[in-house]
Amino acid sequence: MNQETIKRLNQINRDFYRATAAEFDATRQAAWPGWGRLLSAIELPIESVLDLGCGNGRFALFLGARQPQPFRYIGIDSSPALLTYARRQLAAASIIDSALIESDIVLGELPLWSAQLVALFGLIHHVPGFARRRMLLASAAECVSPGGYLALACWRFYEQERFRRRIVAWGGDITVEKHDYLLDWRRGERALRYCHYVDDDEHARLVAATGLAVIADYRADGVSGTLNRYTILKKM
């Protein structure tokens, strides 16, 4: 995928979150069930977290409610509105030493912060181009401190009819890759978002790009309990 197409697809999502941030935050308060299974695969307490595509910071709150020990949390997102919601929520969490950073990691390079847990939740499906997704996973693995973990979740929206009904045809002269879709957002403000469906073959290739050891792989979330595929990896 060429750079111009990557920029166009990324801009679709920047516009989407600009238009829907308030509604998105209001409907994205609950923890994902799959996060509970994550905690059974790793060793607590976690001392530092790098949350890529952190949104409104709810993963930090989830973790903070499940371990009494303080931890350092760095959340990165390209949406200033969602980061505003994150700051409001995390301000009351005294055990979380948080730093929230506005940065577009889809277009730029990932700063090499080191963390015991690096999380990518709700992010990969918004990254245009397989080469760029693979590069992001490889870079995220470099951020994992020795003995630490990388947690990846890929949204399997295309496998469910209710999401396939939201697919909108591409218009104009844009050329996309296999499994690239436009989805219609139907809560409050109407908007379109670019989403990529990661199938099993691509998932395996992305995991291989990390060079880390798989310690858990499972499906969770949504009404079906299969909406996300998680892979938890460890840097030995």
Side-chain angles (χ1 to χ4, degrees):
M1 181 176 286
N2 63 46
Q3 187 67 15
E4 182 58 32
T5 301
I6 289 172
K7 289 180 179 179
R8 289 176 65 180
L9 295 177
N10 189 55
Q11 190 60 50
I12 288 172
N13 286 339
R14 291 186 68 99
D15 292 342
F16 169 81
Y17 285 107
R18 185 179 299 112
T20 66
E23 187 69 22
F24 198 87
D25 173 68
T27 58
R28 300 298 189 275
Q29 292 294 319
W32 294 3
W35 294 348
R37 292 184 64 178
L38 161 68
L39 296 188
S40 67
I42 66 178
E43 295 182 16
L44 294 180
I46 293 295
E47 297 178 354
S48 57
V49 178
L50 175 60
D51 191 357
L52 304 177
C54 66
N56 62 0
R58 58 179 166 157
F59 179 66
L61 294 175
F62 164 82
L63 186 58
R66 283 158 181 81
Q67 67 171 47
Q69 296 87 347
F71 63 95
R72 175 67 170 164
Y73 174 83
I74 300 175
I76 302 177
D77 205 281
S78 63
S79 170
L82 288 179
L83 288 173
T84 296
Y85 290 117
R87 290 187 182 95
R88 291 174 184 171
Q89 296 194 103
L90 294 178
S94 59
I95 73 165
I96 304 174
D97 177 16
S98 62
L100 297 169
I101 300 168
E102 182 183 344
S103 179
D104 193 338
I105 58 177
V106 171
L107 296 183
E109 293 185 0
L110 180 63
L112 291 179
W113 285 294
S114 178
Q116 188 181 4
L117 172 62
V118 177
L120 297 93
F121 301 133
L123 173 64
I124 289 297
H125 64 274
H126 280 333
V127 179
F130 172 73
R132 202 158 199 86
R133 290 187 291 275
R134 181 177 57 191
M135 181 179 67
L136 176 59
L137 263 294
S139 297
E142 293 183 30
C143 296
V144 179
S145 58
Y149 308 94
L150 187 151
L152 165 69
C154 291
W155 187 31
R156 295 301 192 96
F157 64 92
Y158 190 76
E159 298 171 9
Q160 300 199 8
E161 175 62 26
R162 69 189 183 98
F163 290 110
R164 290 198 298 272
R165 289 197 299 266
R166 299 182 186 183
I167 294 175
V168 177
W170 293 100
D173 59 349
I174 192 167
T175 300
V176 296
E177 295 182 353
K178 180 182 179 182
H179 295 325
D180 284 342
Y181 300 101
L182 274 180
L183 294 187
D184 184 15
W185 172 262
R186 299 179 181 178
R187 291 178 180 268
E189 185 76 21
R190 296 297 292 270
L192 296 176
R193 50 181 167 165
Y194 156 72
C195 297
H196 176 79
Y197 167 65
V198 177
D199 61 19
D200 285 337
D201 177 68
E202 181 178 351
H203 194 104
R205 295 165 70 191
L206 292 175
V207 167
T210 68
L212 304 182
V214 176
I215 60 172
D217 190 276
Y218 57 90
R219 299 285 290 267
D221 307 333
V223 175
S224 66
T226 61
L227 192 55
N228 285 308
R229 180 178 174 186
Y230 289 80
T231 301
I232 315 303
L233 305 108
K234 184 172 184 177
K235 179 172 284 189
M236 299 300 188

